[in-house]
Amino acid sequence: VQEKRYDISDRLKLIDQQTLQLFKKAGALAEELEYNLYIVGGFVRDLLLGKANLDLDLVVEGDGIEFARRLNKELKGELDIYHEFGTAVLTLEDGMKLDVATTRVEYYSGIASLPEVELGCIQQDLFRRDFSINALAIQLNGHSFGQLVDYFNGREDLEQGVIRLLHNFSLYDDPTRIFRGLRFASRYGFKFEPRTKELIKQAVDLDVIEKLSNNRLFSKLQLGLQDKYPIKFINLLQEENILSYISPDIRWNEEKEKLATKVVDVLEWLKTLNLSFKFNEWVLYLMVLIWGMNHEQIKEFNQKFNLNKNLSYRLFFTLSFDSLSSRLKAAEDNSEIYYLLEGFAIEDLLLLLIKDFTLKDKVKLYLEELRWIDIKVSGEDIIDFGYKPGPFFQDALQAVKKAKLDGKIVNYQQEQRYLRDYIEKRGE
Ligand code: CTP
């Protein structure tokens, strides 16, 4: 393995000033302690791609925890130390986070004083990683500040848009790397280098994915659905025959892919309403993904991944979709629209539109107006009319609400009159 070094300090100087100052301080401290200090991983990859990445992973050739302690003394942040891993997390006042890791002690044992071996330490630390594009480091020590260290042709792979595993056992060491690979491929539009593609196929064929717990499996799916291009990610899962490990009941085809492309349009539309909703966009992709499963299959899926109530309900909603959609289509009165949509989560309503955007005006009416409509009359009014409480109270008030939703009455007086008429007509 040949070490290549490139001076990219000019590039590094273009990042935000705060991070740059932090790097300089850390670099100076590393000089003082005579440690080699590098920033590694996603930050470096994304810097070279011209993208921001707020994850700062530092690696120290030396005592990482000692280094983190000293750095924290200067920066006056908060320090969490994980002795068993030789790592520390430094959190600054403004919320910025810095992971500090040590290249493992055993790399040093016995031969720590030899400089070649010190170089070998960062090399080994990088070799332990998943893909060449993630195995780049930038040195931060004063004298070599901004030197890109590249042992595995990561720089060229980044330029060529290639995802390359570093060694043959990587996916057996950690099967989640398969999902990481697909995530990077979808996010950056990169291709797998042929041997890597072969290694993924072999690992999948040997069922490595079954080694992951269901919790981890789901969280890796979720990460992909939360990434920049969830549809590409799903397509890759399909291509690599991984979907069936998530559930044998998932069907992914062109029709569903088309549906998934509508998610973005519907979210754009939602923005124009100027309403604020808290919900997770990735859930919409998950709903489309599992769409078509029957009740039993969804139940199994929810149990397998131990999904929370809210998420389970969203998946079950895909079952009621068809009937709700056709009833909404037929609904004419505001009250009909209201009672159809009442109680559904925003994700459900958005899914309706993903399938049939012509329903947008009714959903909009519901979201902007109908769901806020309330009546001012209550059981008190009925008692004031001289009646004793009974089950008809509920009915009568419901009738008032319906009339109000349909715009037949507007103010409190009209509500009262309507209420009285209704009860008298019913002859209670
Ligand atoms: N890494 C690895 N194998 C894993 C997870 C992480 O080799 N299963 C290494 C990679 O070098 C990666 C670094 O650890 O770059 C940091 O990991 P993480 O922060 O999880 O991912 P990022 O690469 O930063 O990716 P993302 O942009 O998705 O956060």
Side-chain angles (χ1 to χ4, degrees):
V1 177
Q2 198 199 342
E3 183 198 70
K4 291 190 193 127
R5 282 186 176 249
Y6 308 91
D7 179 8
I8 60 159
S9 51
D10 287 346
R11 190 83 159 256
L12 194 57
K13 280 174 195 148
L14 296 178
I15 64 171
D16 68 288
Q17 279 308 302
Q18 197 192 0
T19 312
L20 186 63
Q21 288 319 313
L22 182 73
F23 285 174
K24 292 216 159 132
K25 261 188 197 158
L29 177 64
E31 281 294 272
E32 191 189 321
L33 295 171
E34 295 183 20
Y35 293 158
N36 285 321
L37 173 70
Y38 307 87
I39 175 127
V40 297
F43 177 89
V44 182
R45 177 194 70 222
D46 287 343
L47 179 77
L48 293 177
L49 288 172
K51 298 178 198 297
N53 185 322
L54 304 176
D55 266 357
L56 303 181
D57 292 314
L58 297 181
V59 171
V60 178
E61 275 180 333
D63 184 342
I65 291 176
E66 169 66 9
F67 176 81
R69 277 210 182 96
R70 291 282 302 268
L71 187 61
N72 190 46
K73 232 186 196 167
E74 279 186 39
L75 300 175
K76 301 187 176 56
E78 236 175 74
L79 193 64
D80 295 303
I81 295 177
Y82 305 93
H83 284 284
E84 63 276 37
F85 303 114
T87 61
V89 178
L90 208 157
T91 310
L92 300 183
E93 242 178 24
D94 55 11
M96 199 155 153
K97 266 194 171 132
L98 213 67
D99 278 31
V100 183
T102 318
T103 44
R104 284 208 203 116
V105 182
E106 57 256 43
Y107 296 151
Y108 290 102
S109 56
I111 40 177
S113 56
L114 299 173
E116 297 83 16
V117 176
E118 267 185 17
L119 271 177
C121 290
I122 180 68
Q123 180 185 332
Q124 274 175 301
D125 189 280
L126 295 172
F127 187 58
R128 276 195 285 126
R129 291 165 189 269
D130 50 4
F131 303 106
S132 64
I133 59 169
N134 288 335
L136 289 161
I138 302 173
Q139 196 162 359
L140 297 180
N141 297 62
H143 66 276
S144 1
F145 189 84
Q147 282 203 10
L148 180 73
V149 185
D150 183 4
Y151 292 99
F152 313 107
N153 268 327
R155 186 187 190 172
E156 199 180 310
D157 285 344
L158 263 181
E159 278 166 7
Q160 307 281 324
V162 166
I163 298 177
R164 180 194 310 271
L165 280 165
L166 296 184
H167 53 86
N168 293 347
F169 296 108
S170 187
L171 303 178
Y172 302 91
D173 290 347
D174 179 357
T176 68
R177 288 176 168 167
I178 297 176
F179 291 84
R180 286 174 57 83
L182 303 188
R183 211 149 46 76
F184 296 127
S186 64
R187 186 194 298 169
Y188 303 122
F190 283 8
K191 294 263 171 298
F192 291 108
E193 164 271 334
R195 192 181 61 105
T196 298
K197 190 149 177 88
E198 189 54 33
L199 287 170
I200 291 176
K201 187 178 169 348
Q202 277 173 15
V204 172
D205 288 348
L206 286 172
D207 294 333
V208 286
I209 292 174
E210 281 179 355
K211 299 231 156 58
L212 296 175
S213 71
N214 289 330
N215 268 348
R216 281 191 89 197
L217 180 56
F218 189 80
S219 78
K220 300 309 154 192
L221 170 67
Q222 180 178 338
L223 273 182
L225 298 181
Q226 286 171 322
D227 219 283
K228 191 141 188 232
Y229 297 108
I231 301 175
K232 274 196 200 161
F233 178 76
I234 299 174
N235 282 338
L236 289 172
L237 287 176
Q238 162 98 328
E239 254 174 68
E240 302 300 331
N241 295 320
I242 295 169
L243 281 178
S244 60
Y245 288 94
I246 294 165
S247 159
D249 305 316
I250 291 180
R251 300 281 168 274
W252 185 246
N253 50 34
E254 261 178 51
E255 190 196 347
K256 284 183 48 175
E257 183 180 342
K258 232 185 193 163
L259 222 53
T261 61
K262 301 274 167 51
V263 171
V264 177
D265 303 334
V266 169
L267 290 173
E268 274 307 305
W269 168 85
L270 184 68
K271 267 192 216 143
T272 65
L273 301 192
N274 257 323
L275 298 165
S276 81
F277 288 102
K278 261 203 181 149
F279 70 97
N280 294 311
E281 293 177 10
W282 67 271
V283 173
L284 296 174
Y285 290 102
L286 183 66
M287 290 166 93
V288 174
L289 181 63
I290 65 105
W291 197 333
M293 284 192 196
N294 65 31
H295 188 275
E296 206 41 48
Q297 294 167 335
I298 295 175
K299 196 170 140 193
E300 234 167 71
F301 188 91
N302 287 337
Q303 277 169 352
K304 173 174 177 182
F305 295 117
N306 197 15
L307 302 187
N308 65 38
K309 234 186 192 154
N310 182 44
L311 199 47
S312 305
Y313 283 155
R314 302 293 67 80
L315 300 194
F316 277 127
F317 172 77
T318 58
L319 295 171
S320 20
F321 168 82
D322 277 330
S323 77
L324 179 62
S325 165
S326 56
R327 281 155 76 196
L328 187 60
K329 215 175 229 165
E332 281 171 7
D333 297 340
N334 287 357
S335 56
E336 263 181 281
I337 299 174
Y338 175 85
Y339 289 114
L340 275 175
L341 298 186
E342 183 196 31
F344 284 111
I346 182 69
E347 292 94 326
D348 304 342
L349 303 182
L350 295 175
L351 195 72
L352 272 176
L353 301 186
I354 287 165
K355 187 70 188 288
D356 184 354
F357 199 51
T358 65
L359 294 171
K360 68 178 188 309
D361 295 333
K362 285 175 177 169
V363 173
K364 177 178 157 134
L365 180 69
Y366 170 77
L367 289 176
E368 285 188 335
E369 296 175 34
L370 302 182
R371 71 191 168 116
W372 305 114
I373 289 180
D374 228 335
I375 52 173
K376 296 196 184 69
V377 286
S378 68
E380 302 280 317
D381 293 271
I382 312 181
I383 291 168
D384 284 349
F385 298 155
Y387 294 94
K388 286 219 169 67
F392 71 98
F393 273 40
Q394 197 61 34
D395 267 8
L397 292 169
Q398 175 104 327
V400 176
K401 175 141 181 181
K402 185 170 178 313
K404 191 156 183 191
L405 283 163
D406 290 335
K408 291 180 187 151
I409 52 177
V410 179
N411 56 34
Y412 181 52
Q413 258 184 338
Q414 290 169 336
E415 284 181 25
Q416 278 184 313
R417 195 174 315 134
Y418 192 93
L419 183 61
R420 189 190 283 261
D421 287 353
Y422 182 87
I423 294 171
E424 280 169 5
K425 253 186 232 148
R426 293 268 307 259
E428 292 291 346

